[in-house]
Amino acid sequence: MHLTKYLIKEMNRVKRLNLINSITGIKPANLIGSSSVKYGDNLAIFSSVVHLGSDPALLGFISRPSQDVPRHTLRNIYENNVYTINHVNTNQIMRAHYTSAKMYDQDSEFEKCHFTPEYIDGFNAPFVKEAKVKIGLELKESIPIKSNNTVMIVGEIQHIFIPEEAITEQGYLRLDKIDATGISGLNSYYSFNYLNSFPYARKKDLETLNLKLSDEKATSTS
Amino acid sequence: MHLTKYLIKEMNRVKRLNLINSITGIKPANLIGSSSVKYGDNLAIFSSVVHLGSDPALLGFISRPSQDVPRHTLRNIYENNVYTINHVNTNQIMRAHYTSAKMYDQDSEFEKCHFTPEYIDGFNAPFVKEAKVKIGLELKESIPIKSNNTVMIVGEIQHIFIPEEAITEQGYLRLDKIDATGISGLNSYYSFNYLNSFPYARKKDLETLNLKLSDEKATSTS
């Protein structure tokens, strides 16, 4: 099926929303925790968290601006300068999904969705106690995306809480061993099967490896 | 395990690179195709593609700037204003991974990594013939991220090629039915198991659903 820009524009609004939200492939499922003196704790699911760099350790996420409707996460980050990113596990997907329901300012998604806020000394944003991977960040940049009036929030990692046994000898996180979850579109949740890892790609290996045959063999025996 | 900003800074460089690249959770595996009059076709794997909006249909990806080392994808997009994003399938992960090897300007990753460039009329960037989902984009914005001198490329979708049977009645793409692939860190590849979908989250459902019990039940019977 070939959809042009014109056909996409003419689609039913909900179908377009669902298709374009799922067209990039899998997205990570993360809960962002933040806090406000006036309104208390906030927790919201985001699928737009992206790695920006490792030294300094920077992560980004995309939000609609706080002008249209109240965006509690953004408002709290601007107030406190800190926030947390917490992995969603496979046995929390429904609770995590419902953090996206619009609530009153004074309601906490922690309480309504059965997650436990967890604070550490000197860091003014709540982690999710039930999460296996928890990251504490400090706001570095808020970058406007003019094309559609969204914003990318850039934060630097201050804390990581992680199960030691989930990290391989090379430093990688094995996502299948910590029940990590992915999102497609706005509402479909997936778990993962580990397929394979490859070394840093060097040009000289291209000459000796038969890439096409290797791939086909790996797939047929897996 | 608790890693502070200081401990992360002091880590072995490769271990830090691997950990921070995998800490956000799963990332989508996409091949970006581009072209240059002088240098021909280029193909490179990216794990940073992110959804920005559905109307207009905008996608972003992150690149290091072209000043440090030659960035063929960025150079070609700036030359032609168009590029393609193509899903990596589970039987192409090794070939896709090796598109990241540094090659000579005149070498094409299509040829070296056994993918077939495919052109359509009036669109000056190569799609990947073997991909099940192919997206053609036009450059809209190139946004500098000052915190670490990277850049976010924002493009508007002009074309989507997609297998009709992979789209649900609501417009969603079923990632498990098109052998879609995810990346953790820089070099680990995963396939997906569909878990569940939930309706648009409404506050009133929070009162009637027992979210915690529903999650636990769903997990124990799956």
Side-chain angles (χ1 to χ4, degrees):
Chain A
M1 183 162 69
H2 179 190
L3 295 169
T4 60
K5 179 181 167 180
Y6 175 77
L7 289 171
I8 295 167
K9 187 83 194 162
E10 294 298 305
M11 276 173 88
N12 164 282
R13 196 186 68 87
V14 173
K15 276 206 175 184
R16 179 180 54 230
L17 200 67
N18 292 345
L19 179 66
I20 304 302
N21 263 288
S22 57
I23 201 72
T24 53
I26 197 77
K27 303 185 284 188
N30 286 297
L31 288 163
I32 298 191
S34 61
S35 186
S36 154
V37 170
K38 186 168 174 194
Y39 302 112
D41 293 336
N42 191 269
L43 189 67
I45 192 162
F46 279 86
S47 63
S48 61
V49 174
V50 63
H51 167 90
L52 297 175
S54 300
D55 186 23
L58 297 175
L59 308 182
F61 74 91
I62 310 293
S63 176
R64 274 189 266 171
S66 46
Q67 289 100 282
D68 344 336
V69 286
R71 301 282 165 191
H72 299 165
T73 300
L74 230 53
R75 178 200 64 198
N76 295 357
I77 292 175
Y78 292 150
E79 177 184 329
N80 267 333
N81 244 38
V82 289
Y83 54 105
T84 69
I85 295 179
N86 309 269
H87 281 212
V88 174
N89 293 126
T90 51
N91 68 344
Q92 302 161 348
I93 56 177
M94 192 171 178
R95 277 177 280 172
H97 182 74
Y98 275 88
T99 61
S100 61
K102 283 185 187 69
M103 299 190 196
Y104 296 119
D105 274 345
Q106 65 277 20
D107 281 348
S108 165
E109 295 83 2
F110 278 100
E111 191 195 325
K112 295 276 181 192
C113 299
H114 305 276
F115 290 104
T116 314
E118 187 176 52
Y119 276 90
I120 60 168
D121 272 357
F123 194 82
N124 201 10
F127 292 88
V128 174
K129 188 170 196 269
E130 292 79 4
K132 291 193 181 167
V133 176
K134 310 167 201 190
I135 313 166
L137 299 104
E138 189 181 284
L139 175 65
K140 284 288 142 187
E141 259 185 280
S142 166
I143 307 176
I145 301 168
K146 294 195 195 87
S147 303
N148 68 343
N149 198 28
T150 52
V151 64
M152 182 160 73
I153 298 295
V154 178
E156 184 176 356
I157 297 179
Q158 308 295 313
H159 298 280
I160 295 177
F161 296 92
I162 197 171
E164 198 159 354
E165 62 277 16
I167 305 178
T168 69
E169 217 166 290
Q170 296 80 38
Y172 281 112
L173 197 53
R174 273 290 294 259
L175 297 176
D176 52 329
K177 300 216 168 145
I178 51 167
D179 301 320
T181 312
I183 303 182
S184 169
L186 292 164
N187 74 346
S188 300
Y189 292 80
Y190 291 82
S191 65
F192 313 130
N193 306 310
Y194 176 76
L195 291 174
N196 212 341
S197 291
F198 306 107
Y200 179 80
R202 292 180 196 284
K203 188 172 166 286
K204 67 175 167 55
D205 300 329
L206 284 171
E207 319 296 330
T208 51
L209 287 166
N210 188 326
L211 290 177
K212 193 171 179 185
L213 282 179
S214 306
D215 255 345
E216 279 154 11
K217 198 170 158 234
T219 311
S220 69
T221 57
S222 69
Chain B
M1 183 162 68
H2 179 191
L3 294 168
T4 60
K5 179 179 167 180
Y6 175 77
L7 288 171
I8 295 167
K9 187 81 193 167
E10 294 299 305
M11 276 174 88
N12 163 283
R13 195 185 69 86
V14 173
K15 276 207 175 182
R16 178 178 56 229
L17 200 68
N18 292 345
L19 179 66
I20 305 301
N21 263 288
S22 56
I23 200 73
T24 53
I26 198 75
K27 304 185 282 187
N30 285 297
L31 288 162
I32 298 190
S34 61
S35 186
S36 154
V37 170
K38 187 167 173 194
Y39 301 112
D41 293 337
N42 190 271
L43 190 67
I45 192 162
F46 279 85
S47 63
S48 61
V49 174
V50 64
H51 167 89
L52 297 176
S54 299
D55 187 22
L58 297 175
L59 308 181
F61 73 93
I62 310 293
S63 177
R64 274 189 267 171
S66 47
Q67 289 99 283
D68 347 334
V69 287
R71 302 280 165 192
H72 299 164
T73 300
L74 229 53
R75 178 199 65 200
N76 294 356
I77 292 175
Y78 292 150
E79 177 183 329
N80 267 333
N81 245 37
V82 289
Y83 55 104
T84 69
I85 295 179
N86 309 269
H87 281 211
V88 174
N89 294 125
T90 50
N91 68 344
Q92 301 161 349
I93 55 176
M94 193 170 178
R95 278 177 280 171
H97 181 75
Y98 275 89
T99 60
S100 61
K102 284 187 185 68
M103 298 191 196
Y104 296 120
D105 275 345
Q106 65 276 18
D107 281 346
S108 166
E109 294 83 2
F110 279 99
E111 191 194 326
K112 296 278 181 190
C113 298
H114 306 275
F115 290 104
T116 313
E118 187 175 52
Y119 276 90
I120 59 169
D121 273 358
F123 194 82
N124 202 10
F127 293 88
V128 173
K129 188 170 197 273
E130 292 79 4
K132 291 192 180 167
V133 176
K134 310 167 202 190
I135 312 166
L137 299 106
E138 190 180 283
L139 176 65
K140 283 289 143 185
E141 258 186 281
S142 165
I143 306 176
I145 302 168
K146 294 195 195 87
S147 303
N148 69 344
N149 198 28
T150 52
V151 65
M152 182 160 73
I153 298 295
V154 178
E156 184 177 356
I157 297 179
Q158 309 293 312
H159 298 280
I160 295 177
F161 296 92
I162 197 170
E164 199 160 351
E165 62 276 15
I167 306 179
T168 69
E169 217 166 288
Q170 295 80 35
Y172 280 112
L173 197 53
R174 273 289 296 258
L175 296 177
D176 53 328
K177 299 215 169 146
I178 52 166
D179 302 320
T181 312
I183 303 182
S184 169
L186 293 163
N187 75 346
S188 298
Y189 292 80
Y190 290 82
S191 65
F192 312 131
N193 306 311
Y194 176 75
L195 291 174
N196 212 341
S197 292
F198 305 106
Y200 179 79
R202 291 180 198 285
K203 187 171 165 290
K204 67 174 168 58
D205 300 331
L206 283 173
E207 319 296 331
T208 52
L209 286 167
N210 188 326
L211 290 176
K212 192 170 179 188
L213 281 179
S214 306
D215 255 346
E216 279 154 12
K217 197 172 160 232
T219 311
S220 69
T221 57
S222 68

